[in-house]
Structure formats: C-alpha cells, structure tokens
Amino acid sequence: MKKFLGTTILAGTMLFNTATAAPAQDKETVYQVALLQSLTMGYFDGSISVKDLKAHGDTGIGTFEGLNGEMIVLDGVVYQANQACKINVMGDRERVPFSNVTFFDKDFAVKLSDVADKNALEKILNEHVDKHGRNSFYMIKLSGTFNDILVRSEAGAEEPYPTLVEALKTQNELTLENVNGTIVGLYCPDFMSSLNSTGWHFHFITADKKLGGHVLNLNLRSGEAQLDKTDGFRMNLPTKENFHGLNFNQDLKEDIRKAEQDSVRR
C-alpha cells in the first residue's frame, strides 16, 4: 500500500508521495526525487530510473547514482555531463538520486542582452519572479549566445559515499567561450529551504549537445529566457532503509551554498 506524507501543494498544499505514478503530461507540477539535503549528506543511491523520471517531466535538472555527473533534461531527453563536461544521452535503466523535472509549459518570456554574470542574471529573473509570484516554482529554458560560461561536473563516487562537499573537491571545471546553448534551471521559493536549495539552480548544455554541466558563472551576450510558473509540487522519497538513518535535524545551508556556488579555481 502506498504511503502518503502530507497533502497536496497543487491546490496550495504539499504532497510527499513515495510512489512514482503520476498523471500523464501534468504540466502544473514540479516533481522532485529525494531532497537536495539528502544528496548533501552523501545519499547518492538512485531511487528511481531515468525511464520513470521521464514519466514526470520533459525538462529539468539533477544528477545520477553515485553523483555520476550533472543531469540536464531538455525536450524529453535526459543528458549527462560527465566528469570531462562532455554530454552523453542516458539510458532508461540509469538510476537517479536527486532531480527536479516538469512538463514545460511556457508562461512568459524575457529578452536578455549583455548580462555580465550569474548574479546579474538572477537579479533580472528575480524581478520577474517578484512580479508573477515569489512563492511559486519556476522552470527556465534560456537559449542564447554566451561570451563565456563556466561549468563543472564530477566523476561520481563509490560506496561508502562521501558528503557532497567532499565529493565535489575533485570536480572538473570548464570555461566555454563564444558558445551557443541552453540553460535549464529551477527556482524554488523560500519555504523549500529544508527540501532543496532556494532561489535559482542552473545547468547548461551547448546547442550541439556536446558539452555542459552545472553553471558556476556566465557572461551572456544575448538570448531569451522562457519561464514556466508552476504551483504544483510532488516528491518521491527513497524507500531504502538507509535513507531513514539520515539526520535531517541539522543546518546544511553552508554545505549547500558551497556545493552550488564554489569553484575550485577560487
């Protein structure tokens, strides 16, 4: 019998569901696999397959079992940026320990030019979030030309898994110059602070689908950001016994900040 924790955000409340079944083409729900906090503590076990993940969305971000690279989901294809930041298409049997996906449904678009860095991009996007509702989720697809963009990825780890911060000490970083591509990202509102990172989280893939990774910084020449405002949220919780050994009664904000933002070049 399926276990349900909580109620539904789709109508303004929150549903935590261990099941993977979802209505076909539900375009008003962000589907999350596990928690960023569990990933931060080193829970890298996959809890669903890529095949199951695609049943819940065609656009999103995440990672793979063992923290094996960065995930970019675009137009229904699940891509991996491996340790060299090279792109692979992932098979349906690959396992996923953390991800956020939705069936992308554009609600509005923002033209962009001469955006100096990641902070400047987030400032512009936050102005639109404030206008449309800061307590909703927003998935973004930003296609454009970048003067440069700094991305990272990682090779993955073996059990016993380290924490996320420890695993990322060996991350590989790559600066791409004069490149066309697409940023896929997610905005989470402040109330998600115990389930995910709040604010923006960006991954990138080049237009030729050869290179990409987690975005650390950027300089955008021109582009257009399409945004999907979403008020529904569902969560898939791992069913393995070791998940229940995790202690979520701790402050992981600094570890999450380091994992999201820190470059080994600094």
Side-chain angles (χ1 to χ4, degrees):
M1 182 175 182
K2 297 174 182 175
K3 299 178 181 178
F4 292 89
L5 309 174
T7 54
T8 301
I9 280 196
L10 202 48
T13 55
M14 190 175 292
L15 170 69
F16 300 91
N17 179 5
T18 59
T20 57
Q25 294 289 300
D26 179 357
K27 295 185 177 181
E28 297 304 325
T29 297
V30 169
Y31 183 81
Q32 179 167 305
V33 178
L35 300 81
L36 183 58
Q37 283 72 5
S38 57
L39 195 75
T40 300
M41 286 187 274
Y43 191 86
F44 301 161
D45 288 344
S47 57
I48 71 169
S49 68
V50 163
K51 180 180 179 179
D52 287 338
L53 183 69
K54 290 190 292 187
H56 296 279
D58 58 13
T59 306
I61 55 179
T63 187
F64 301 95
E65 188 164 67
L67 199 71
N68 185 21
E70 301 286 344
M71 177 193 292
I72 308 101
V73 185
L74 183 61
D75 299 328
V77 181
V78 178
Y79 299 97
Q80 174 213 41
N82 67 15
Q83 187 186 27
C85 296
K86 294 182 178 180
I87 296 296
N88 300 305
V89 176
M90 298 301 272
D92 284 347
R93 294 184 179 181
E94 297 292 336
R95 304 292 291 176
V96 178
F98 177 72
S99 179
N100 289 97
V101 296
T102 191
F103 287 105
F104 194 87
D105 184 24
K106 185 184 78 171
D107 289 308
F108 61 96
V110 180
K111 293 286 188 181
L112 298 164
S113 63
D114 300 321
V115 180
D117 56 26
K118 182 169 170 278
N119 288 336
L121 174 62
E122 291 182 0
K123 182 178 179 181
I124 294 168
L125 294 176
N126 285 340
E127 291 173 357
H128 292 274
V129 166
D130 288 343
K131 177 181 176 181
H132 290 270
R134 68 175 60 187
N135 288 328
S136 294
F137 297 86
Y138 294 83
M139 193 69 77
I140 184 173
K141 292 195 294 187
L142 193 175
S143 296
T145 301
F146 296 81
N147 293 318
D148 57 74
I149 184 165
L150 174 62
V151 297
R152 71 109 195 273
S153 194
E154 53 283 330
E158 296 182 357
E159 296 183 276
Y161 294 130
T163 65
L164 180 59
V165 170
E166 288 297 317
L168 291 177
K169 285 183 178 179
T170 58
Q171 71 189 35
N172 178 57
E173 298 177 11
L174 180 66
T175 298
L176 305 172
E177 297 181 343
N178 299 314
V179 64
N180 294 322
T182 299
I183 285 175
V184 177
L186 176 70
Y187 169 89
C188 285
D190 289 340
F191 60 74
M192 287 288 291
S193 60
S194 61
L195 303 178
N196 205 325
S197 61
T198 60
W200 292 99
H201 185 158
F202 301 128
H203 289 188
F204 176 75
I205 187 168
T206 56
D208 61 9
K209 308 298 189 295
K210 290 184 178 181
L211 297 168
H214 172 95
V215 177
L216 294 170
N217 210 349
L218 59 86
N219 183 295
L220 175 68
R221 189 180 310 163
S222 63
E224 180 182 89
Q226 297 183 357
L227 290 101
D228 178 7
K229 178 183 178 182
T230 303
D231 292 319
F233 179 81
R234 292 187 70 208
M235 175 184 256
N236 172 296
L237 291 178
T239 58
K240 288 186 177 180
E241 186 175 344
N242 58 347
F243 174 77
H244 297 282
L246 298 176
N247 175 21
F248 290 103
N249 187 26
Q250 56 181 302
D251 187 353
L252 296 168
K253 290 180 181 177
E254 180 58 17
D255 284 351
I256 289 173
R257 186 206 63 77
K258 289 179 180 179
E260 289 289 307
Q261 302 179 24
D262 279 4
S263 165
V264 294
R265 299 181 183 182
R266 295 174 185 171

